[in-house]
Amino acid sequence: MNGFVEALADGAVVAKRNLIKVKRVPDLIVFATLSPIMFVLLFAYVFGSAIEIPGMNYREFLMAGIFAQTVVFGATITGTGLAEDMQKGIIDRFRSLPMARSAVLIGRTTSDLLNNVIVIVVMSVTGLIVGWRIHSSFLEALAGFGVMLLFAYAISWGMAVVGLAVRSPEVVNNASFIVIFPLTFIANTFVGTTNLPGPLKAFAEWNPISAVTQAARELFGNTSPGFPAPDVWPLRHPVLASVLWSLVILAVFIPLAIRQYRKAVSR
């Protein structure tokens, strides 16, 4: 128990160090928020006029998908940050300090989670400006954001494994883009899955990002009786499915990340 508490305390110190870096290099958070803002404006005003969602405003349908895509892409910062620290020898400096080995990973994933919170706040304001509204209660809306952030936190641990394995920020960026870009588009993020071809439709319906997006829509009250969710378990029970996906990813990748970290610092 004491070791766990110490790891959390050391992780908080590392998280603070990472957040101070963002404060000193504000470009990191600026460019992290510009991309989703551009997506909101592009889909809302350009593609939105050509996409019809029965019974609801497309901008309200859109925002949950943009949120989900953004927090998942934001989680990739964990991999690039760790790879950069490995490349610059900062991890070696941490190794010489009397701190828990898992503290670096806890601090990195926690700071990136907080960065995602900032991005979500900026995006929420942008969404409200373009016409998005929350039609549920305050607690349900908080739960919607919480589900997305939990999933993003789980993805961060997966990206930590990649960042520690390749040790190059450029490779992490390329590898994560190749995987995450199709995952966020072959889903219900921007359009419904009903009209997708058979194999893509099945993939989209069982895609965890679809579950997270649907969970956010339901918790924000951005659904319509005229556009029901497909009759598959993850989209009929999206909140439970999203939490289960997150817990499974955490259960798999936290041990893998710690193992990969020990392997990386012993080279």
Side-chain angles (χ1 to χ4, degrees):
M1 186 66 180
N2 288 337
F4 178 71
V5 173
E6 288 176 3
L8 290 180
D10 292 341
V13 174
V14 176
K16 182 179 179 181
R17 170 255 176 189
N18 294 331
L19 293 173
I20 290 173
K21 180 181 178 182
V22 173
K23 181 180 178 181
R24 291 175 178 173
V25 189
D27 295 356
L28 293 173
I29 199 69
V30 169
F31 285 105
T33 55
L34 280 180
S35 177
I37 289 174
M38 289 175 61
F39 264 105
V40 170
L41 297 177
L42 183 66
F43 275 88
Y45 291 108
V46 179
F47 299 126
S49 59
I51 301 174
E52 184 177 347
I53 302 297
M56 67 182 302
N57 185 333
Y58 177 70
R59 295 170 191 175
E60 294 192 347
F61 176 86
L62 167 71
M63 285 306 299
I66 293 286
F67 279 133
Q69 182 194 56
T70 301
V71 297
V72 171
F73 270 108
T76 63
I77 297 174
T78 300
T80 55
L82 286 170
E84 184 178 357
D85 286 346
M86 291 288 294
Q87 197 175 63
K88 293 181 177 179
I90 295 174
I91 298 294
D92 291 331
R93 298 179 192 174
F94 285 146
R95 185 177 57 175
S96 66
L97 297 174
M99 60 189 297
R101 290 190 175 186
S102 58
V104 173
L105 300 174
I106 293 172
R108 181 79 253 180
T109 53
T110 302
S111 63
D112 293 336
L113 177 66
L114 295 175
N115 284 336
N116 258 333
V117 171
I118 296 171
V119 172
I120 278 184
V121 170
V122 174
M123 283 188 59
S124 297
V125 173
T126 306
L128 292 171
I129 291 173
V130 302
W132 171 63
R133 295 294 182 269
I134 294 175
H135 301 290
S136 59
S137 68
F138 176 74
L139 290 179
E140 286 175 317
L142 280 184
F145 290 120
V147 167
M148 289 187 292
L149 290 170
L150 174 63
F151 185 74
Y153 184 70
I155 296 296
S156 285
W157 283 93
M159 291 296 104
V161 174
V162 177
L164 292 168
V166 300
R167 304 184 68 175
S168 168
E170 293 79 11
V171 175
V172 175
N173 275 328
N174 292 335
S176 59
F177 184 83
I178 290 171
V179 174
I180 291 178
F181 190 80
L183 276 177
T184 55
F185 276 89
I186 307 176
N188 62 353
T189 43
F190 305 115
V191 295
T193 60
T194 308
N195 296 324
L196 292 176
L200 290 182
K201 182 173 181 287
F203 180 86
E205 289 174 343
W206 287 88
N207 185 342
I209 293 176
S210 290
V212 173
T213 302
Q214 186 65 25
R217 286 191 181 120
E218 291 189 1
L219 291 168
F220 293 153
N222 296 148
T223 57
S224 166
F227 194 73
D231 192 18
V232 292
W233 190 86
L235 299 185
R236 286 296 181 180
H237 307 86
V239 176
L240 178 59
S242 299
V243 172
L244 289 176
W245 271 114
S246 301
L247 294 178
V248 168
I249 294 170
L250 286 169
V252 171
F253 284 104
I254 287 178
L256 286 178
I258 294 174
R259 180 182 176 184
Q260 188 62 44
Y261 177 77
R262 289 173 177 169
K263 183 179 177 180
V265 297
S266 64
R267 291 171 184 169

